[in-house]
Amino acid sequence: MSPPKIFTLLIFLANTAVSVSHGFEVSISNNLGVNTKLTVHCKNNAEDLGSHVLENDGEFKWDFSIGTGTPVNYYCDLASGSIGGQFNLFDENRDVARCGGQTCFWRVLGDGIYLFIKANNDYEKQFHW
């Protein structure tokens, strides 16, 4: 192979090796019970997703890119009546593997916030109110 072709091939391989980011999704479901609304407000350092009010069994979800070089974190304020708090509902270093590589599914219940752990095929409590 001639030197110009090798050089072109190396540039192509270098550019494709850098592009390893892919899409990821987070989903939050209100499972607090009938007539119990959940207010969700999520953000990271670069993006504010706004405030959303979820009815019972309502869902809020969003997608974003991971693997971009800077780990992604989203913090969410969750509130319903007298309960509430701020929770780190996505930490790229912590959650990609345990969520199964594409989506983190969160359920908000009266006793805390649960995450679907792919390896266990079940929801597990991650945060208490």
Side-chain angles (χ1 to χ4, degrees), residues 88-117:
N88 182 353
L89 294 190
F90 185 78
D91 177 328
E92 183 173 343
N93 294 326
R94 178 192 71 192
D95 294 330
V96 171
R98 69 184 190 155
C99 291
Q102 291 183 305
T103 305
C104 283
F105 294 99
W106 291 94
R107 282 187 180 167
V108 179
L109 298 166
D111 67 333
I113 296 92
Y114 291 73
L115 176 65
F116 186 81
I117 306 294

Side-chain angles (χ1 to χ4, degrees), residues 43-100:
K43 59 187 171 182
N44 67 16
N45 289 337
E47 181 178 28
D48 186 329
L49 302 175
S51 186
H52 304 269
V53 177
L54 306 181
E55 301 290 334
N56 184 51
D57 291 330
E59 177 185 35
F60 172 62
K61 59 184 175 180
W62 72 97
D63 55 54
F64 49 92
S65 293
I66 61 170
T68 60
T70 302
V72 177
N73 284 278
Y74 278 94
Y75 293 87
C76 298
D77 294 316
L78 304 177
S80 180
S82 63
I83 58 175
Q86 184 178 71
F87 306 95
N88 182 353
L89 294 190
F90 185 78
D91 177 328
E92 183 173 343
N93 294 326
R94 178 192 71 192
D95 294 330
V96 171
R98 69 184 190 155
C99 291

